[in-house]
Amino acid sequence: MSCFTRRLARFGRSSVVGAVAIAATGSTFLCSDNNSSFSVTARVPLPLQDSHCSLLHGLFQQKLPISDEYGILPLSSYRVSPVPSSDISSKDTSGDVVSDEGSKPSGCFGRDTIANAAAKVGPAVVNIAVPQGFHGVTTGRSIGSGTIINQDGTILTCAHVVVDFQGARSSTKGKIEITLQDGRTFEGILVNADLHSDIAIVKINSETPLPEAKLGSSSRLRPGDWVIAMGCPLSLQNTVTAGIVSCVDRKSSDLGFSGLPRDYLQTDCAVNMGNSGGPLVNMDGEVVGVNIMKVLAADGLSFSVPIDSVCKIIEHFKKRGRVVRPWLGLRMLDLNEMIIAQLKKRDASFPNVSKGILVPMVTPGSPGDRAGFRPGDVVIEFDGKPVESMKEVIEVMSDRVGVPMKVVVKRASDILVTLTVTPEESNFEL
């Protein structure tokens, strides 16, 4: 055992943590000297799960309007201790002196970078629990997470945590219990919820100002950027996990979802049921996404709603009390050089374009059908603006339901046609 002690002393603090981590997982730590060797094995029994955890798994599969064709399931508070003053003035592992704020030179990633980012958002992360029952008998709880985004008690979370969806309508699951990281408990009131994006706003009332998290920008994220996921997975409050951004624009169609197109942030952060509604945070301590789901029985495949999309949804809530989505009834496909080359090979009369949006299908009786769209049209201008992607069309339409718009399309043999289409409000179910 003296060998183990001497080596720990020589390895330093980080190695001690590593040895403890290995032992905690029930693995074997080997130590050898010139004339002796030994192994230490530690096994820690798994804690019992709360009785409602297995019930939640069943509730998610049965009630949520989200396909599990690919094994994708929704994820249905955080506490941070202040940075010790002794660490703030000490040197980091590279030998650089950390400033009074615990910051590092721009572009450097230090040992406290993740901890400092989590500390900024942590006090604003809450635990959400909604008792579930049948004919007045409580059978479990729907658990999730949320983030206070305003000192007045406005909380951002996932809709499936607090709402039951029946078709295009929704109703509150029950009494919403909000627990802050300091232990205070409030009763939340559902303010708004959107079925398609799975985003909801809950409000609590407090006599004193509440901590709030700063919203960042998801458009600045790149694959490989460090992020952290915060919340209360499996009712384990005040949990933080770290990872990287795997993809910044994962399409809902890639995940097997039908209906309106949506984009997600894909990360490899460890998230589980109970993380739903919790924040995805960048290294500046800003919320860049809302954790919403993971791939069942897969590691490192979790998804979040980008905060830029969430901000637009919040603006819709403030303006109309709901999210208004214009509908044209057109199936669209963004064109690139490879797709264009394949289409030209199949049909020599395909329009000579280098970019644009192909319309492979038109829904009968839809606004697009009435406007004169045909399968095979390539949209090159929308409402007077050149467009190259569906995302640009959606941005141009915004919430302008009932407003006529001029669309320029190019057809076979390079025939240009100008159409006038009037979007209707979408009322699809997922």
Side-chain angles (χ1 to χ4, degrees):
M1 193 66 183
S2 60
C3 167
F4 183 76
T5 305
R6 288 198 306 272
R7 295 208 170 205
L8 287 184
R10 185 165 68 250
F11 289 167
R13 176 182 176 184
S14 61
S15 296
V16 173
V17 175
V20 173
I22 292 173
T25 59
S27 300
T28 301
F29 182 86
L30 298 177
C31 180
S32 63
D33 210 333
N34 294 332
N35 301 318
S36 63
S37 65
F38 70 92
S39 64
V40 178
T41 302
R43 296 189 181 277
V44 181
L46 294 175
L48 294 176
Q49 295 184 350
D50 291 343
S51 59
H52 62 269
C53 290
S54 59
L55 173 63
L56 281 172
H57 187 277
L59 287 174
F60 288 153
Q61 287 183 318
Q62 296 172 15
K63 294 188 177 182
L64 289 179
I66 297 180
S67 169
D68 64 351
E69 177 183 354
Y70 291 84
I72 299 172
L73 291 177
L75 310 170
S76 286
S77 35
Y78 177 79
R79 186 171 186 172
V80 177
S81 301
V83 179
S85 58
S86 60
D87 288 346
I88 294 179
S89 59
S90 64
K91 291 185 178 181
D92 64 14
T93 54
S94 64
D96 297 329
V97 177
V98 182
S99 65
D100 292 339
E101 294 79 17
S103 62
K104 290 188 61 64
S106 177
C108 293
F109 191 99
R111 67 176 185 180
D112 296 330
T113 302
I114 292 178
N116 291 339
K120 292 179 181 178
V121 181
V125 180
V126 301
N127 177 17
I128 300 177
V130 183
Q132 298 291 283
F134 183 74
H135 292 293
V137 178
T138 300
T139 57
R141 295 189 307 166
S142 172
I143 59 172
S145 307
T147 310
I148 302 175
I149 59 174
N150 194 298
Q151 290 184 345
D152 65 359
T154 301
I155 297 174
L156 175 64
T157 186
C158 282
H160 73 256
V161 173
V162 294
V163 171
D164 272 328
F165 290 111
Q166 292 87 26
R169 296 177 298 174
S170 61
S171 62
T172 308
K173 284 185 176 181
K175 181 180 179 181
I176 304 174
E177 300 175 358
I178 308 294
T179 303
L180 274 60
Q181 68 127 22
D182 58 13
R184 287 183 291 170
T185 302
F186 298 86
E187 181 175 350
I189 300 173
L190 178 64
V191 179
N192 295 106
D194 179 59
L195 180 149
H196 291 282
S197 63
D198 199 10
I199 293 297
I201 296 295
V202 175
K203 184 76 164 53
I204 60 175
N205 295 317
S206 174
E207 296 180 355
T208 58
L210 297 167
E212 65 177 2
K214 181 180 179 181
L215 302 184
S217 174
S218 52
S219 63
R220 300 177 182 176
L221 291 175
R222 300 177 301 168
D225 279 346
W226 279 95
V227 286
I228 55 179
M230 306 172 66
C232 54
L234 302 177
S235 295
L236 299 176
Q237 298 185 16
N238 311 328
T239 297
V240 179
T241 60
I244 62 170
V245 175
S246 305
C247 180
V248 295
D249 57 352
R250 179 63 64 202
K251 307 299 182 185
S252 56
S253 57
D254 295 341
L255 304 178
F257 296 158
S258 59
L260 296 174
R262 288 149 288 171
D263 289 342
Y264 297 105
L265 298 173
Q266 179 183 332
T267 75
D268 68 349
C269 292
V271 293
N272 290 281
M273 287 182 286
N275 272 116
S276 276
L280 187 72
V281 181
N282 63 17
M283 293 300 98
D284 293 323
E286 301 170 333
V287 179
V288 293
V290 177
N291 299 317
I292 184 173
M293 60 188 170
K294 65 172 291 185
V295 174
L296 186 65
D299 296 327
L301 288 173
S302 56
F303 303 91
S304 305
V305 180
I307 199 64
D308 291 351
S309 299
V310 173
C311 289
K312 293 179 181 179
I313 291 169
I314 294 175
E315 289 301 316
H316 278 264
F317 285 158
K318 292 179 179 179
K319 185 177 179 181
R320 298 174 180 259
R322 69 184 192 282
V323 179
V324 175
R325 294 182 174 88
W327 176 64
L328 299 178
L330 304 176
R331 180 72 59 85
M332 292 184 169
L333 173 67
D334 296 346
L335 293 176
N336 55 38
E337 293 182 0
M338 181 183 69
I339 295 176
I340 293 173
Q342 291 177 343
L343 293 173
K344 290 286 289 184
K345 187 176 181 179
R346 292 181 180 180
D347 184 359
S349 65
F350 186 81
N352 291 309
V353 294
S354 59
K355 54 190 176 182
I357 310 163
L358 176 65
V359 179
M361 188 182 77
V362 180
T363 303
S366 66
D369 184 32
R370 295 194 297 269
F373 280 90
R374 300 177 185 174
D377 285 349
V378 177
V379 179
I380 57 177
E381 288 187 14
F382 200 94
D383 199 32
K385 299 179 181 179
V387 291
E388 302 177 17
S389 66
M390 292 182 291
K391 186 176 181 180
E392 292 176 330
V393 171
I394 294 173
E395 290 177 352
V396 171
M397 288 193 297
S398 184
D399 61 350
R400 297 160 62 188
V401 172
V403 179
M405 300 180 185
K406 298 289 185 181
V407 182
V408 177
V409 301
K410 184 174 280 192
R411 291 177 173 167
S413 303
D414 294 333
I415 299 175
L416 286 176
V417 178
T418 300
L419 306 173
T420 301
V421 62
T422 303
E424 297 178 356
E425 183 173 358
S426 169
N427 57 0
F428 289 130
E429 298 181 12
L430 282 178

